Amino acid sequence: MTPALQGLLTIAIGVTGCVGYFYLSNQFLDKILFPPRGPNAGRNINRANMIRPWLFLFPAMAALGLYLAYPVVETLRLSLTERVPGGGYRWVGLDNYTQMAAEPKFWEAMRNNMFWLIVVPAMSTAFGLLVAQLTDRIRWGNLAKSLIFMPMAISFVGASVIWKLVYDARPAEQDQIGILNALYIFFGGTEPQTWLTIPFWNSFFLMIVLVWIQTGFAMVILSAALRGIPEETVEAAILDGANPFQIFFKIKVPQIKTTILVVWTTITITVLKVFDIVFAMTNGQWETQVLANYMYDKLFRANDWGVGSASAMVIMLLVTPILIWNVRNARKEME
Amino acid sequence: MSDIAGTKPALRWVVHLSVVALVALWVLPTLGLLVSSFRTADQIVTSGWWRSLFPSEQNLTLRSAAPETQVLENGVYVIEGQLFGTEDQATISRWGVSSRDVDAFVPGDVAEMRRGGTVTVDAQGNYRMENTEEFTGNRGARIFVTAELPPEFTTDNYQKVLLDESSTDSMAKAFFNTLTVTIPATIIPILVAAFAAYALAWMEFPGRALLIAAVVGLLVVPLQLALIPLLKFHLNIGIGKGYLGVWMAHTGFGMPLAIYLLRNYMAGLPRDLIENARVDGATEFQIFTKLILPLSFPALASFAIFQFLWTWNDLLVAKVFLIDATGQTTVMTNRIVELLGTRGGNWEILATAAFVSIAVPLLVFFAMQKYLVRGLLAGSVK
C-alpha cells in the first residue's frame, strides 16, 4: 500500500474512530449503563454526568500521559541505569552524570547554551519591541510586520540553508557569493572569513539565525500589548512634556512588563530545545555544541542511552523553573 | 491623540528609514536563496546573487562558426554569424581577438586575425570574417567580448529537483512523504484535543483545575526527553519506525498546545448559549458537535496552522520515529540536511530544494496569517 493511501486511510480511520468512540461511549453511558428513566432516573443522571467528563478526556489524557508524562519518568530512570550487553539494565546511580561532567564537550555545550539563553531571548525581544514600536504608527506598518514575521513559517533547516549562503566564503581572489563576506571585503576586509569556523564567535553567527526566526513572534505579541496600553497614560505624559523616548521607556515598557516576560520565557524554552540549526550548520564542530545536539549525538551516534538521558534531564532541569512559573500563573488566572 | 512621531518631521523620517532597514535585514537572506534557486550552478559560484538582478558587464570568450560554414563571395571567403546565437542577448562594449588584449576594439572596428584575414563585430554580436584565402582548421576563431548582459534566470533547477524522477537530487518523493506525515498529524490531534478541551472548559468534575495545570506544565516539557522512551515503546509494541509511529508521536507532542488553545477559546464562549441548550434537552455530545465545534472554528484554525507548520518543518521527530535504514520514508528537511552534508557546494540544488520545502509553509503563512497571529496571542501563557 502506498504511504499516501495509508495516510488517507489513517485520516479516515482516525477521524471515524475518534467520533465513533465519543458517540458510542456516550450512547452506552446514557442508554445502557445509567438510563435516565425508571426508579433511579435521578441518581442515574448524576452518575452519568460524573463519568462523562472522563469519556471526553480519556483519549487526550492517554496521549499526554504516554507521550509526555511517562517519558519524563522513564528518562530519569534511564539516566540512572546502564544498558547491559545482551539486554536489560543495570542500576548505576549517578555514574552517567559524573561521566558526563567529565566530558569537555558537555561543558562546551553548557557554556554555549548559557550564551544562547542570554543572547537569543534578549535580542529577539529587543528587536521585536523595536519593530512593534516603530511600525505602530506608520501606514505600511502591517506590511513591514508581515515581512519580519515571515521567518516564523520557515523551518530551522530551511533557515540554516538561507544563512549558510549568507555566511559563505570563497577564496580571496574570487568574487564573494556570501553577502556577509562581500560586505566585509567592501568595507575594507582583506581576507574573506569562514564565519562558522571561528571559535567562540561562530556560536553567535548561529544564534543570529534563531533571533531572525523568533523576532517575529516577539513582535506580534508585543505589538498587541502596546496597542492595549490605555491612551490616557500616554496623553498625560505628552501633556507633561515627555519626549518620545521617555514615553517609550518610562510609560509604555513598564506597562507591558509581564508580556515582555512571557515572550522572554517562551523564547527561552525554544532556545533550550534548539537542535536543527546546530545540527544542520556545524553539527557541533568548531566548538558550537549545544545541549540538544549533544544529547542527540549521545543517543543516536554514540548509542549511549545513559549519558544521553542524563543530558536530557539537564535540559528538563533548566526548563523546570519556567514550568513552575507557568503553572502558578495559570492557576492564578483561573481563580 | 496626535501622532507622536509626527511632531518632529526629522524623527518621522528616522522611523521610516529604520523600518526599511529592519525589513531589508529580515528579507534579504531569504531573497538571496530565492534568487539563487533560479540561477545556474556556474552563475551562483561566480558572482553574488545581488548582482544577478541587474544587467552586468562580463568578459566572455565566444567562438565564431567553424571554417566549414564559409562561403565564397566575389572572390573573398566569408564566415558570418551571431556570437550569442540570437540577437538582443547583450550589448557589446569592447572586443578583441587575443586573450592578452581582450578589449582592443570597439564595435564596428576591423581587426586583423592571427591566422589571417579580418573580422568585424557589431554591438549586437553579429560578426563577419573575411579572408582572401580559404579558412582552415576545424574550429572557429575565438573572439573575446566585454558585454552588458541582461539578468538571466532559469527554472531548470526546479525541473531537476521536482520533476526528474531519475535524478538523485529529486525531492518529489520526500515532498509526498512530508505531506503524508503532515496531514494526519494535523487532523487527528485537533479532534482528540477538542473533546478534552470542551470537558475542561464546560464540565464540572473534581480534579479539573489540576488537569488544566498539568496541561500548562506539559506545554514546556522538551520533547527531547521523549525520544528514547517512546522509540523503545514503539519497538516493543511492534509498530517500529514508520508513518504510524510518527503520526502518534506528533499527536502526543501537539496535544498540550491543542488542549490549551482550544480550552481557552471555548471557555470564552457565552455561558447562556450552552446552558440554554442543556435546558432544551440537548445531550453533551450534541452540544459539542452542533454548537461548540462550529463556534470554535477560529481556534481550531489557529491550532491547525501551528501543528501544520511544526510537523512540516520538523526534523528531529521524523529522524527518530520515521526514517529507517532504507531511507524510503525520508522527509524534505532530512533530505536538505543530507544535501548540506554531502554536497555542500551544490548551491543550485540546495537552494532549490530548500525553497521547495519553504514554499508550502510560506503559502499557508500568508494565506492564514490572521489565524496564526490570533493563536499566538492566545497561546502564550499569560
Side-chain angles (χ1 to χ4, degrees):
Chain A
M1 188 164 49
T2 67
L5 211 62
Q6 201 189 340
L8 284 177
L9 205 66
T10 309
I11 297 176
I13 293 174
V15 171
T16 50
C18 271
V19 176
Y21 158 78
F22 288 113
Y23 181 74
L24 291 175
S25 63
N26 271 284
Q27 288 286 317
F28 178 72
L29 192 68
D30 289 333
K31 296 277 147 67
I32 299 166
L33 204 56
F34 298 119
R37 331 175 269 276
N40 298 328
R43 198 194 67 184
N44 276 359
I45 289 177
N46 283 341
R47 283 194 179 167
N49 283 343
M50 264 168 63
I51 293 176
R52 196 181 331 273
W54 300 102
L55 291 182
F56 275 68
L57 284 167
F58 172 70
M61 290 301 139
L64 279 180
L66 183 61
Y67 278 85
L68 287 165
Y70 154 74
V72 176
V73 182
E74 176 69 2
T75 302
L76 179 63
R77 191 183 73 85
L78 284 173
S79 77
L80 299 172
T81 59
E82 187 181 62
R83 269 200 292 181
V84 182
Y89 298 88
R90 191 161 58 88
W91 181 265
V92 294
L94 293 176
D95 278 10
N96 290 320
Y97 290 89
T98 47
Q99 190 190 334
M100 181 172 71
E103 272 189 47
K105 264 285 176 194
F106 170 73
W107 290 110
E108 177 194 316
M110 282 296 269
R111 187 202 64 178
N112 285 336
N113 253 105
M114 289 304 138
F115 281 118
W116 279 79
L117 281 177
I118 297 163
V119 173
V120 176
M123 282 180 64
S124 307
T125 312
F127 272 120
L129 195 56
L130 182 70
V131 177
Q133 168 67 18
L134 290 180
T135 54
D136 201 23
R137 289 171 193 282
I138 62 178
R139 216 181 308 152
W140 57 290
N142 277 338
L143 176 70
K145 279 200 273 193
S146 218
L147 289 172
I148 290 178
F149 191 31
M150 182 190 70
M152 268 299 272
I154 296 176
S155 61
F156 288 158
V157 173
S160 300
V161 177
I162 288 175
W163 282 88
K164 221 162 174 175
L165 182 61
V166 171
Y167 295 147
D168 189 274
R170 297 276 134 184
E173 66 276 10
Q174 290 179 23
D175 246 11
Q176 294 301 319
I177 65 167
I179 201 163
L180 191 61
N181 266 317
L183 288 173
Y184 179 71
I185 301 283
F186 182 78
F187 286 110
T190 43
E191 274 292 303
Q193 303 287 318
T194 47
W195 306 103
L196 293 176
T197 61
I198 309 169
F200 187 72
W201 296 110
N202 50 7
S203 284
F204 290 88
F205 288 113
L206 297 184
M207 291 175 208
I208 288 174
V209 182
L210 194 56
V211 171
W212 179 74
I213 293 176
Q214 292 292 325
T215 295
F217 162 75
M219 175 202 73
V220 164
I221 310 261
L222 294 171
S223 172
L226 283 177
R227 297 233 159 124
I229 290 177
E231 293 269 305
E232 304 90 79
T233 56
V234 178
E235 278 168 26
I238 293 175
L239 288 178
D240 287 345
N243 68 37
F245 292 96
Q246 286 173 323
I247 292 173
F248 181 66
F249 286 107
K250 299 210 166 131
I251 306 294
K252 288 187 169 177
V253 170
Q255 292 194 66
I256 58 169
K257 225 167 36 195
T258 41
T259 313
I260 293 178
L261 205 58
V262 167
V263 169
W264 191 291
T265 51
T266 310
I267 297 175
T268 301
I269 292 167
T270 313
V271 171
L272 277 171
K273 293 191 259 188
V274 71
F275 158 76
D276 317 35
I277 295 175
V278 177
F279 183 75
M281 288 185 87
T282 63
N283 200 5
Q285 296 177 79
W286 307 295
E287 298 175 28
T288 54
Q289 190 65 295
V290 292
L291 276 177
N293 193 53
Y294 173 83
M295 194 212 70
Y296 185 87
D297 259 2
K298 283 291 164 198
L299 287 182
F300 298 105
R301 294 225 183 84
N303 221 357
D304 187 342
W305 288 12
V307 174
S309 300
S311 54
M313 286 314 290
V314 173
I315 300 178
M316 183 68 211
L317 210 66
L318 292 171
V319 172
T320 307
I322 298 172
L323 189 152
I324 294 169
W325 188 72
N326 274 357
V327 171
R328 271 217 189 130
N329 279 358
R331 299 204 71 156
K332 227 184 286 165
E333 211 168 85
M334 271 185 297
E335 276 160 12
Chain B
M1 188 192 64
S2 69
D3 193 340
I4 305 173
T7 53
K8 284 183 192 162
L11 198 62
R12 202 187 170 80
W13 273 107
V14 172
V15 168
H16 277 280
L17 287 178
S18 329
V19 177
V20 169
L22 281 166
V23 168
L25 208 60
W26 253 256
V27 171
L28 277 182
T30 319
L31 190 67
L33 198 73
L34 178 63
V35 170
S36 296
S37 73
F38 288 104
R39 303 177 77 202
T40 65
D42 254 9
Q43 287 174 324
I44 294 177
V45 294
T46 49
S47 66
W49 60 267
W50 53 93
R51 289 187 208 280
S52 72
L53 300 175
F54 309 99
S56 60
E57 189 158 272
Q58 290 180 25
N59 291 314
L60 301 169
T61 306
L62 303 167
R63 208 174 267 283
S64 70
E68 65 196 33
T69 61
Q70 62 190 296
V71 289
L72 195 58
E73 279 180 22
N74 310 326
V76 185
Y77 291 94
V78 174
I79 302 177
E80 266 185 323
Q82 229 299 332
L83 283 174
F84 298 111
T86 53
E87 268 190 48
D88 303 323
Q89 285 284 311
T91 316
I92 294 172
S93 55
R94 311 283 304 184
W95 61 280
V97 290
S98 156
S99 59
R100 279 187 299 271
D101 201 2
V102 295
D103 48 8
F105 306 103
V106 295
D109 283 358
V110 177
E112 293 281 337
M113 287 196 294
R114 199 156 43 86
R115 293 197 312 214
T118 59
V119 60
T120 175
V121 177
D122 74 2
Q124 277 73 48
N126 298 308
Y127 65 91
R128 182 180 169 91
M129 292 161 69
E130 293 180 359
N131 198 348
T132 46
E133 293 164 36
E134 203 174 341
F135 286 101
T136 55
N138 46 24
R139 298 179 72 183
R142 283 196 297 173
I143 295 171
F144 303 89
V145 301
T146 304
E148 182 100 323
L149 288 164
E152 195 189 342
F153 298 105
T154 166
T155 54
D156 283 0
N157 299 332
Y158 283 92
Q159 243 156 30
K160 194 166 169 195
V161 164
L162 280 178
L163 303 176
D164 188 355
E165 291 282 340
S166 60
S167 162
T168 50
D169 300 320
S170 172
M171 291 286 276
K173 192 175 176 58
F175 187 92
F176 283 109
N177 289 349
T178 307
L179 212 58
T180 312
V181 169
T182 307
I183 292 175
T186 305
I187 293 176
I188 308 274
I190 293 183
L191 207 60
V192 174
F195 277 96
Y198 173 64
L200 290 174
W202 287 108
M203 287 175 165
E204 296 291 341
F205 60 92
R208 189 173 79 153
L210 203 69
L211 276 182
I212 297 171
V215 169
V216 173
L218 290 176
L219 263 178
V220 300
V221 168
L223 69 91
Q224 265 86 358
L225 270 85
L227 302 181
I228 287 291
L230 290 178
L231 186 59
K232 249 172 59 183
F233 170 71
H234 282 177
L235 293 175
N236 282 343
I237 62 170
I239 56 177
K241 283 188 165 202
Y243 285 111
L244 192 57
V246 83
W247 289 326
M248 285 166 63
H250 276 311
T251 302
F253 299 147
M255 200 51 62
L257 183 68
I259 297 179
Y260 182 77
L261 274 182
L262 295 177
R263 192 209 81 93
N264 277 1
Y265 190 86
M266 287 177 187
L269 293 174
R271 174 173 288 272
D272 292 353
L273 214 62
I274 290 146
E275 279 176 356
N276 283 345
R278 279 186 184 147
V279 169
D280 289 347
T283 66
E284 296 286 340
F285 188 78
Q286 284 169 331
I287 295 174
F288 175 76
T289 48
K290 301 247 166 73
L291 205 60
I292 302 284
L293 267 194
L295 285 177
S296 306
F297 176 75
L300 297 173
S302 297
F303 173 73
I305 298 164
F306 276 123
Q307 182 75 355
F308 175 82
L309 291 180
W310 149 244
T311 49
W312 185 278
N313 290 337
D314 159 75
L315 171 68
L316 187 57
V317 176
K319 268 188 105 72
V320 175
F321 293 106
L322 173 66
I323 300 163
D324 53 21
T326 63
Q328 284 302 302
T329 49
T330 189
V331 292
M332 275 194 289
T333 46
N334 189 53
R335 285 288 294 138
I336 293 168
V337 172
E338 282 171 3
L339 287 175
L340 262 175
T342 55
R343 323 260 305 262
N346 282 26
W347 274 113
E348 78 287 4
I349 298 298
L350 206 48
T352 313
F355 236 88
V356 167
S357 120
I358 292 172
V360 174
L362 279 188
L363 226 67
V364 171
F365 172 84
F366 281 115
M368 310 192 72
Q369 205 179 359
K370 190 175 79 183
Y371 293 106
L372 189 69
V373 169
R374 207 181 282 178
L376 272 184
L377 292 176
S380 55
V381 187
K382 284 187 213 74

PDB file of all heavy atoms in Angstrom, chain A residues 67 119 148 153 169 273 276 295:
ATOM      1  N   TYR A  67       2.896  10.148  25.942  1.00  0.00           N
ATOM      2  CA  TYR A  67       3.918  10.796  25.123  1.00  0.00           C
ATOM      3  C   TYR A  67       4.667  11.908  25.833  1.00  0.00           C
ATOM      4  O   TYR A  67       5.681  12.374  25.340  1.00  0.00           O
ATOM      5  CB  TYR A  67       3.303  11.302  23.806  1.00  0.00           C
ATOM      6  CG  TYR A  67       3.205  10.175  22.817  1.00  0.00           C
ATOM      7  CD1 TYR A  67       2.121   9.315  22.830  1.00  0.00           C
ATOM      8  CD2 TYR A  67       4.238   9.917  21.927  1.00  0.00           C
ATOM      9  CE1 TYR A  67       2.040   8.245  21.978  1.00  0.00           C
ATOM     10  CE2 TYR A  67       4.169   8.845  21.065  1.00  0.00           C
ATOM     11  CZ  TYR A  67       3.079   8.008  21.096  1.00  0.00           C
ATOM     12  OH  TYR A  67       3.018   6.935  20.261  1.00  0.00           O
ATOM     13  N   VAL A 119      21.593  35.552  24.881  1.00  0.00           N
ATOM     14  CA  VAL A 119      21.595  36.381  23.675  1.00  0.00           C
ATOM     15  C   VAL A 119      20.285  36.278  22.894  1.00  0.00           C
ATOM     16  O   VAL A 119      19.698  37.299  22.530  1.00  0.00           O
ATOM     17  CB  VAL A 119      22.783  35.986  22.762  1.00  0.00           C
ATOM     18  CG1 VAL A 119      22.701  36.717  21.443  1.00  0.00           C
ATOM     19  CG2 VAL A 119      24.086  36.297  23.467  1.00  0.00           C
ATOM     20  N   ILE A 148       8.626  40.768   8.517  1.00  0.00           N
ATOM     21  CA  ILE A 148       9.536  40.392   9.608  1.00  0.00           C
ATOM     22  C   ILE A 148       9.023  39.144  10.331  1.00  0.00           C
ATOM     23  O   ILE A 148       9.798  38.365  10.875  1.00  0.00           O
ATOM     24  CB  ILE A 148       9.728  41.589  10.563  1.00  0.00           C
ATOM     25  CG1 ILE A 148      10.550  42.655   9.839  1.00  0.00           C
ATOM     26  CG2 ILE A 148      10.403  41.179  11.863  1.00  0.00           C
ATOM     27  CD1 ILE A 148      10.781  43.908  10.605  1.00  0.00           C
ATOM     28  N   ALA A 153       7.527  30.984   9.632  1.00  0.00           N
ATOM     29  CA  ALA A 153       6.983  29.856   8.870  1.00  0.00           C
ATOM     30  C   ALA A 153       8.083  28.982   8.287  1.00  0.00           C
ATOM     31  O   ALA A 153       7.823  27.894   7.807  1.00  0.00           O
ATOM     32  CB  ALA A 153       6.077  30.373   7.750  1.00  0.00           C
ATOM     33  N   ALA A 169      31.923  31.548   2.161  1.00  0.00           N
ATOM     34  CA  ALA A 169      33.215  32.192   1.891  1.00  0.00           C
ATOM     35  C   ALA A 169      33.853  31.565   0.666  1.00  0.00           C
ATOM     36  O   ALA A 169      33.829  30.349   0.497  1.00  0.00           O
ATOM     37  CB  ALA A 169      34.129  32.031   3.094  1.00  0.00           C
ATOM     38  N   LYS A 273      15.516  23.931  23.360  1.00  0.00           N
ATOM     39  CA  LYS A 273      15.227  22.785  22.507  1.00  0.00           C
ATOM     40  C   LYS A 273      15.955  22.873  21.171  1.00  0.00           C
ATOM     41  O   LYS A 273      15.821  21.975  20.344  1.00  0.00           O
ATOM     42  CB  LYS A 273      13.714  22.703  22.267  1.00  0.00           C
ATOM     43  CG  LYS A 273      12.960  22.365  23.548  1.00  0.00           C
ATOM     44  CD  LYS A 273      11.526  22.014  23.258  1.00  0.00           C
ATOM     45  CE  LYS A 273      10.607  23.161  23.556  1.00  0.00           C
ATOM     46  NZ  LYS A 273       9.195  22.813  23.479  1.00  0.00           N
ATOM     47  N   ASP A 276      17.981  21.659  15.409  1.00  0.00           N
ATOM     48  CA  ASP A 276      18.129  21.614  13.950  1.00  0.00           C
ATOM     49  C   ASP A 276      19.200  22.565  13.434  1.00  0.00           C
ATOM     50  O   ASP A 276      19.949  22.218  12.527  1.00  0.00           O
ATOM     51  CB  ASP A 276      16.814  21.954  13.241  1.00  0.00           C
ATOM     52  CG  ASP A 276      15.621  21.279  13.872  1.00  0.00           C
ATOM     53  OD1 ASP A 276      15.628  21.124  15.109  1.00  0.00           O
ATOM     54  OD2 ASP A 276      14.699  20.929  13.145  1.00  0.00           O
ATOM     55  N   MET A 295      22.945  15.830  23.178  1.00  0.00           N
ATOM     56  CA  MET A 295      22.108  14.706  23.552  1.00  0.00           C
ATOM     57  C   MET A 295      21.848  13.796  22.357  1.00  0.00           C
ATOM     58  O   MET A 295      21.946  12.572  22.453  1.00  0.00           O
ATOM     59  CB  MET A 295      20.785  15.233  24.098  1.00  0.00           C
ATOM     60  CG  MET A 295      19.990  14.202  24.805  1.00  0.00           C
ATOM     61  SD  MET A 295      18.244  14.501  24.598  1.00  0.00           S
ATOM     62  CE  MET A 295      18.030  14.114  22.900  1.00  0.00           C
TER      63      MET A 295
END
